[in-house]
Amino acid sequence: MSDIVARATALDGKIRLFAARTTDLAEEIRRRHDCSPTAAAALGRAATAAAIMGAMLKGNEKLTVQVIGGGPIGRIVADATAGGDVRAYADNPQAHLPPNAAGKLDVAGIVGTGGFLYVVKDLGMREPYRGSVPLVSGEIAEDLTYYFAKSEQIPSAVSLGVLVDADGSVRAAGGLVLQLLPGVPDDVVDELERKIYSIPPVTAMLERGLSPEDMMRELAGDLAAVEESPLRFHCSCSRERAARTLLAVGKDELERMIAETGEAEAVCHFCNEKYAFDRRDLEALRDRLNDAE
């Protein structure tokens, strides 16, 4: 089954829901960055969060989610577009910790709680939207719940899950978000809160073969305006972008590279793609800078 994100409303439009299956996406990120099991879970959750938030955008809009908690994984960065392109990386993807007291992957421990969750949205305006909240748990789902409430003033419930197999690969990954719109009666809120805590974890539902639409029905019952769209790992890096990075170091540094080794390599943070430049390439870049003077 391919990765998808689904959107819907329920209760006569008083709540909206988003659900995603991101198993292939999370596994591709794990493979590209050679993640430890705990790092794979943390990166998979962040990428899933970004994918779902991307589904809240329109047209050519895009966003970046950063989680900087002070833990051994360092900074986590996930990008997503409204069209379903997602990518992610962490500073230290091989960082790992023993299981927590519940016997589960210690995502909170590897992320840390001494920092912030940042969201930057490029909505096509002159300046991007920027929001941030202190991390409340380091588990990412709870932190995103807090972000929606405090930064966007939308009462929300967020569930994110990544199940890592014995061989370290991602077996299941996905997420579920419920957001309350104005006018939801208190008794309905109470019932939804009860359901949120009583339904199985996202990965358990995916393991049962439930689709994102099924997961939303599990939580909210009858749905309306259901839409689905594909998700995929996609990086916007290219050889020309790598060349621009080398141009940015300046003519003196390029001359040093030419004289010392006659080669350079640029590596994309997001996808680990490597771009090699030989002496002729570096000389051509130097000449471009000379021509621009």
Side-chain angles (χ1 to χ4, degrees):
M1 293 184 290
S2 59
D3 288 349
I4 59 171
V5 61
R7 301 164 288 274
T9 62
L11 297 180
D12 297 323
K14 291 185 173 62
I15 65 173
R16 63 177 183 173
L17 301 106
F18 301 84
R21 180 174 56 239
T22 57
T23 305
D24 293 343
L25 171 64
E27 170 58 15
E28 181 70 7
I29 292 169
R30 182 208 66 81
R31 184 189 65 79
R32 284 180 176 269
H33 297 290
D34 190 25
C35 294
S36 74
T38 312
L43 261 175
R45 290 184 191 182
T48 300
I52 291 175
M53 294 178 75
M56 301 175 185
L57 303 178
K58 301 175 183 177
N60 295 320
E61 296 173 352
K62 55 189 176 180
L63 61 80
T64 299
V65 176
Q66 291 192 55
V67 183
I68 307 175
I73 197 171
R75 175 182 51 178
I76 296 173
V77 182
D79 282 357
T81 69
D85 291 343
V86 186
R87 59 182 188 169
Y89 76 91
D91 287 339
N92 302 305
Q94 284 81 47
H96 188 50
L97 289 176
N100 60 24
K104 298 181 178 180
L105 293 173
D106 191 1
V107 172
I110 203 172
V111 170
T113 57
F116 289 81
L117 181 148
Y118 300 91
V119 176
V120 180
K121 297 181 183 180
D122 181 352
L123 306 177
M125 312 294 285
R126 180 172 297 179
E127 294 293 331
Y129 164 86
R130 301 178 186 273
S132 66
V133 291
L135 294 177
V136 294
S137 76
E139 294 282 355
I140 301 180
E142 291 89 338
D143 304 302
L144 194 58
T145 298
Y146 187 65
Y147 163 81
F148 281 129
K150 295 299 181 180
S151 191
E152 299 193 4
Q153 288 78 52
I154 304 174
S156 305
V158 180
S159 177
L160 303 169
V162 177
L163 181 63
V164 179
D165 226 334
D167 65 358
S169 62
V170 175
R171 191 164 82 198
L176 180 61
V177 175
L178 178 148
Q179 296 189 321
L180 300 179
L181 301 178
V184 181
D186 290 342
D187 61 329
V188 174
V189 173
D190 293 341
E191 175 63 14
L192 287 171
E193 288 180 345
R194 186 192 66 77
K195 288 288 294 293
I196 288 166
Y197 290 110
S198 65
I199 65 172
V202 167
T203 51
M205 289 190 282
L206 291 170
E207 285 276 270
R208 284 167 43 201
L210 269 64
S211 68
E213 182 177 342
D214 294 331
M215 292 193 293
M216 293 189 295
R217 292 187 188 281
E218 191 95 353
L219 178 57
D222 293 337
L223 304 175
V226 180
E227 297 180 7
E228 291 184 351
S229 54
L231 297 171
R232 63 167 182 158
F233 180 91
H234 176 73
C235 189
S236 57
C237 72
S238 65
R239 184 173 179 81
E240 177 56 31
R241 288 189 178 215
R244 289 202 295 269
T245 299
L246 290 174
L247 288 169
V249 305
K251 185 169 66 174
D252 290 345
E253 181 63 17
L254 283 173
E255 291 282 16
R256 185 191 66 77
M257 293 178 185
I258 293 168
E260 291 184 0
T261 64
E263 60 184 17
E265 183 179 77
V267 181
C268 176
H269 283 305
F270 281 101
C271 68
N272 258 351
E273 190 72 30
K274 296 178 175 61
Y275 298 93
F277 295 82
D278 61 19
R279 184 180 301 276
R280 181 179 293 182
D281 297 324
L282 294 176
E283 289 173 345
L285 291 174
R286 178 201 59 198
D287 294 344
R288 283 171 64 176
L289 289 178
N290 286 334
D291 292 343
E293 289 181 349

